[in-house]
Amino acid sequence: MTLPPAVIQALDKVDSFIAKYPTVSQYEKLKELEKKSGYSKVYFFLLAVAVICSTIYVLGGAKLITDLVSFVYPAYMSFKAIDSSNSGDDTQWLTYWVVFSCVSVSEGVLGFVTEFIPFYFPMKVAFFIWLYHPKFMGASTLYAQIIKPLVMPYLNSVSSSVQKKVE
C-alpha cells in the first residue's frame, strides 16, 4: 500500500522532530522496534502519544488537558526567560501570566456559565495557544486592549493613595 505524498511528508516531519529529542522520544528504542516489526518508528511514536493523551483524558478529563496546555509550556518558557539576557521574553511571559490569572479568576467566578458553552474546553485550549504562540502574541494584544485600560486607573489611584499615606 502506497501512502499519499502529503502523508509521507508529514511522517518525515514527525521523524525529524523525534530525532531532535532522542532522549525524550526514546529514539533508539523506536529504531529497534522499526527494525523488528518493519513498521515506521513514527507509527510507534504516534501510538505512544495517543495512549498517553488518552490516559490523561480518562484520568482528568478535558479540564486537565486544558490546564496542562495552558500551564506546562508557558511555565517552561518562563523558566527559560528568567535565565536569558533578553528582556523581551520576560515581558511576554509576564504578560501571559497576568492574562492567565485574569482568565482563571473570571472562570472561577463565572464557572456556572462555562457549563452552557458547547465545546468550551477545546475553545479554551485554542485560546491559550493563541495567547502564548509566538506568531500571534495574543496575551500582549489582550492585555493592551482590555486588561490595561480596565485595571490601570485603579492601580494609579491605589498607588497615589499609598504614596500619600507614606508621606
Side-chain angles (χ1 to χ4, degrees):
M1 175 173 91
T2 356
L3 295 172
V7 173
I8 293 172
Q9 184 180 14
L11 292 173
D12 289 341
K13 284 183 180 181
V14 172
D15 190 19
S16 64
F17 173 77
I18 62 177
K20 283 185 199 175
Y21 307 100
T23 306
V24 175
S25 66
Q26 298 292 311
Y27 195 71
E28 293 302 318
K29 290 184 181 183
L30 289 173
K31 282 177 28 178
E32 288 176 27
L33 276 172
E34 183 178 45
K35 281 182 185 176
K36 288 179 183 178
S37 68
Y39 291 106
S40 172
K41 58 189 161 291
V42 175
Y43 296 147
F44 293 109
F45 176 75
L46 293 175
L47 176 66
V49 168
V51 167
I52 291 168
C53 289
S54 298
T55 304
I56 290 171
Y57 183 76
V58 167
L59 292 176
K63 177 157 180 26
L64 178 60
I65 291 173
T66 303
D67 291 344
L68 289 173
V69 167
S70 63
F71 180 78
V72 173
Y73 177 75
Y76 169 73
M77 293 305 292
S78 296
F79 286 123
K80 283 181 64 174
I82 290 169
D83 291 333
S84 77
S85 59
N86 180 7
S87 64
D89 56 2
D90 294 349
T91 304
Q92 174 193 351
W93 293 110
L94 280 171
T95 305
Y96 172 81
W97 290 114
V98 167
V99 174
F100 174 85
S101 62
C102 289
V103 170
S104 295
V105 169
S106 300
E107 185 181 32
V109 171
L110 302 172
F112 64 93
V113 175
T114 62
E115 296 174 13
F116 301 108
I117 300 172
F119 303 109
Y120 174 72
F121 288 111
M123 287 190 304
K124 186 177 174 187
V125 167
F127 173 71
F128 277 109
I129 291 172
W130 174 77
L131 284 178
Y132 64 68
H133 195 281
K135 182 177 179 182
F136 304 111
M137 304 291 267
S140 299
T141 304
L142 204 61
Y143 175 78
Q145 294 181 357
I146 296 174
I147 296 172
K148 187 176 180 180
L150 288 173
V151 174
M152 284 312 266
Y154 298 107
L155 285 179
N156 291 336
S157 66
V158 168
S159 295
S160 63
S161 299
V162 170
Q163 265 186 330
K164 287 179 186 175
K165 288 187 178 197
V166 170
E167 294 170 355

